[in-house]
Amino acid sequence: MPPKVNVEDRAGGAYVLLQPEGAIDATTYTLLGGEVEAILKRATVPTLIIFNLDRVGFVSSAGIGVVLAAEKSMKAKGGKALLVNLKPHVRKVFDIVQALPAQQIYNSVGELDAYLAEMQRQVREGPPG
Amino acid sequence: MTRREFVLKNQLAELDRLAEGLGDFCLRQGMSEEEFADVRLAVEEAVSNTIRHGYEDRRAHRIRIRAAMKDGELRLEIEDDARAFNPLEALLPELDLPVEQKPIGGLGITLIRAVMDRVEYRRSRGKNILRLVRRAGRK
């Protein structure tokens, strides 16, 4: 399957969902990296970049590098990168190199949506307590 | 003992063909998809590192990957004529740093060592020979 990345703005551009397909390796990582760079160059950078990896069967250190670079850039701008729907081997690779804290990795879109709903509630009403 | 040899040009585009051939070999030898994913990861990290950083000229070079299954072990030898590089002597990146200080490069060697049971290196007759061993059925 040729590599492909779907890009979807959510919540009026507050966060962007990236959904790559196929392998993210030394030959394909530039495609995903290019999409991340384009997002970071926007006039208004989103608060979150979410990598939905449900269609990714293989990731190498080149793919990890794209996510790490996104997290570094987002953190410098007050945002962060999140990962969702990692297949077991892809999760294993991220875990070996401790790429992102466990709190930034979600098992399902449902789990991620609950986090995003809570985040939006806090923006509207302030933090709990 | 069952063997297979793959010969690649020093071009990243060759990695897909290698993954396909190696996958066919590993699965025929009874390795699981999960085990093959580890093997693919290690080989791809090693070969892509050689292609991207190993050559000082722009000439075409060949990289040989020999795979053999013996005594329940997959034994791989990656042979190239790139400049000498012993991955076992490379400094491993610190992984438990805050994200601002986390290295982006150098993770490939960490991955190779994590998913393989043995990694050996020797330089012989102007060639790097990296030997990777992975037990089939490892938990």
Side-chain angles (χ1 to χ4, degrees):
Chain A
M1 187 189 296
K4 188 171 125 184
V5 183
N6 291 320
V7 183
E8 189 186 324
D9 279 32
R10 293 228 180 146
Y15 50 96
V16 178
L17 192 68
L18 290 171
Q19 190 175 31
E21 284 187 28
I24 312 175
D25 58 20
T27 58
T28 61
Y29 76 100
T30 51
L31 186 68
L32 183 60
E35 295 293 353
V36 170
E37 271 181 40
I39 292 165
L40 293 170
K41 281 182 188 160
R42 288 181 182 182
T44 307
V45 175
T47 316
L48 299 173
I49 292 182
I50 302 164
F51 295 89
N52 181 354
L53 302 187
D54 64 338
R55 297 179 187 167
V56 173
F58 178 81
V59 69
S60 74
S61 65
I64 299 273
V66 172
V67 174
L68 256 179
E71 168 65 1
K72 281 175 188 260
S73 300
M74 289 299 287
K75 195 159 184 193
K77 295 171 193 289
K80 59 182 153 182
L82 302 178
L83 293 167
V84 63
N85 277 333
L86 281 65
K87 294 187 192 304
H89 194 268
V90 172
R91 175 71 194 244
K92 176 180 177 175
V93 176
F94 274 94
D95 285 348
I96 291 170
V97 299
Q98 301 171 39
L100 286 188
Q103 311 89 278
Q104 286 173 238
I105 304 179
Y106 293 84
N107 293 320
S108 66
V109 171
E111 198 180 290
L112 174 66
D113 281 345
Y115 163 78
L116 295 174
E118 174 59 18
M119 204 176 85
Q120 285 174 329
R121 191 195 63 75
Q122 285 187 26
V123 169
R124 279 195 315 270
E125 302 167 16
Chain B
M1 180 162 60
T2 317
R3 296 168 185 270
R4 179 100 57 101
E5 184 179 62
F6 306 91
V7 182
L8 310 186
K9 296 175 200 153
N10 55 324
Q11 295 171 1
L12 291 173
E14 293 274 85
L15 290 171
D16 282 349
R17 188 168 65 83
L18 174 63
E20 204 174 304
L22 202 52
D24 180 64
F25 179 79
C26 289
L27 299 179
R28 279 174 193 268
Q29 297 306 313
M31 292 187 103
S32 66
E33 292 276 358
E34 188 74 7
E35 288 171 327
F36 165 60
D38 280 350
V39 171
R40 176 181 176 186
L41 180 65
V43 172
E44 191 160 316
E45 295 294 346
V47 174
S48 66
N49 191 56
T50 299
I51 293 172
R52 291 164 76 179
H53 307 295
Y55 297 102
E56 287 157 345
D57 59 43
R58 301 175 74 107
R59 287 190 299 118
H61 295 264
R62 294 205 181 283
I63 301 170
R64 288 178 191 279
I65 295 102
R66 287 182 282 271
M69 183 66 87
K70 190 182 177 192
D71 301 332
E73 284 185 342
L74 177 71
R75 299 169 186 185
L76 295 156
E77 269 197 358
I78 303 171
E79 182 184 296
D80 63 66
D81 63 351
R83 68 173 160 223
F85 175 67
N86 180 353
L88 299 175
E89 288 176 355
L91 277 181
L92 293 178
E94 280 187 59
L95 300 176
D96 55 350
L97 295 171
V99 70
E100 300 83 354
Q101 297 163 33
K102 250 187 211 305
I104 291 181
L107 298 174
I109 294 166
T110 300
L111 289 169
I112 292 171
R113 293 172 76 159
V115 299
M116 288 288 118
D117 290 305
R118 289 202 305 279
V119 181
E120 296 160 10
Y121 170 85
R122 69 179 195 276
R123 182 85 179 167
S124 173
R125 297 179 185 178
K127 293 192 171 167
N128 295 302
I129 299 166
L130 185 66
R131 190 158 197 256
L132 307 174
V133 178
R134 169 63 191 246
R135 253 188 347 269
R138 179 178 105 170
K139 295 292 174 202

